[in-house]
C-alpha cells in the first residue's frame, strides 16, 4: 500500500506568526511512517511547512492509497482542504486524520472528504 503522510501548513496567520509558533519536526508522522514501513508499505512524508507548494505534485506523482494528516487545532481547516484535494486528484484514495485535535475533537473531522479519524486512548 502507498501511504502519504502530510504535516500541514497553516492556511492563514495564527497570532501573526503563521507556522513559526508550531514549527517542529513531524515526529509523530515519522513514527507512523516507520511502523508502516516495517509492515511493508511504501511511505512518503510531506512536510508542507517546508515544501509549501508540493502537495498537488506529490499526490499526482505518488498516487497514494491513503493520505494521513495530523496537526493542531489551527490546522483543522487546512487538513480538510488537503484531504479534499487528495480525493479530487486520486479518487480511489482513503483519507485519515490523527493527532492532538483529532483526539480531543474528532467531530471536527466528520466531513465527506475524511474516511477515518484516529483517536489516542490512554
Amino acid at each position: 500500500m502507498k501511504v502519504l503522510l502530510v504535516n500541514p501548513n497553516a492556511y492563514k496567520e495564527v497570532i501573526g506568526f503563521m507556522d513559526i509558533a508550531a514549527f517542529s519536526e513531524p515526529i509523530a508522522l515519522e513514527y507512523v511512517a516507520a511502523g508502516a514501513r516495517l509492515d511493508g508499505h511504501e511511505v512518503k512524508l510531506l512536510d508542507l511547512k517546508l515544501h509549501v507548494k508540493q502537495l498537488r505534485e506529490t499526490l499526482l506523482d505518488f498516487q497514494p492509497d491513503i493520505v494521513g494528516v495530523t496537526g493542531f487545532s489551527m490546522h483543522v481547516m487546512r487538513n480538510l482542504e488537503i484531504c479534499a484535494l487528495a480525493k479530487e486528484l486520486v479518487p480511489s484514495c482513503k483519507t485519515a486524520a490523527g493527532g492532538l485535535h483529532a483526539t480531543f475533537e474528532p467531530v471536527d473531522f466528520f466531513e465527506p472528504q475524511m474516511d477515518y479519524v484516529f483517536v489516542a486512548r490512554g
Side-chain angles (χ1 to χ4, degrees):
M1 178 182 291
K2 289 183 171 184
V3 179
L4 176 62
L5 300 173
V6 181
N7 191 37
N9 56 328
Y11 79 109
K12 65 178 188 176
E13 282 193 25
V14 177
I15 315 172
F17 292 108
M18 285 293 291
D19 281 317
I20 198 79
F23 190 82
S24 62
E25 183 174 359
I27 193 76
L29 290 181
E30 290 171 348
Y31 283 128
V32 172
R37 285 186 179 125
L38 286 173
D39 285 340
H41 301 288
E42 183 179 352
V43 182
K44 280 191 182 257
L45 200 156
L46 176 61
D47 190 341
L48 291 177
K49 294 175 185 176
L50 298 175
H51 306 285
V52 178
K53 297 183 181 188
Q54 290 187 359
L55 179 60
R56 179 178 290 274
E57 176 185 333
T58 302
L59 287 165
L60 290 171
D61 289 345
F62 188 56
Q63 292 288 305
D65 297 303
I66 188 163
V67 174
V69 295
T70 188
F72 301 109
S73 297
M74 67 186 188
H75 297 115
V76 171
M77 296 309 294
R78 181 63 175 134
N79 280 334
L80 292 172
E81 290 172 359
I82 290 165
C83 291
L85 182 63
K87 293 279 192 183
E88 177 185 324
L89 298 178
V90 188
S92 63
C93 83
K94 297 295 183 184
T95 57
L100 291 172
H101 192 90
T103 294
F104 292 118
E105 289 293 336
V107 70
D108 289 347
F109 293 103
F110 293 178
E111 297 291 337
Q113 65 268 45
M114 194 64 66
D115 294 304
Y116 305 103
V117 181
F118 293 96
V119 176
R121 297 282 184 218

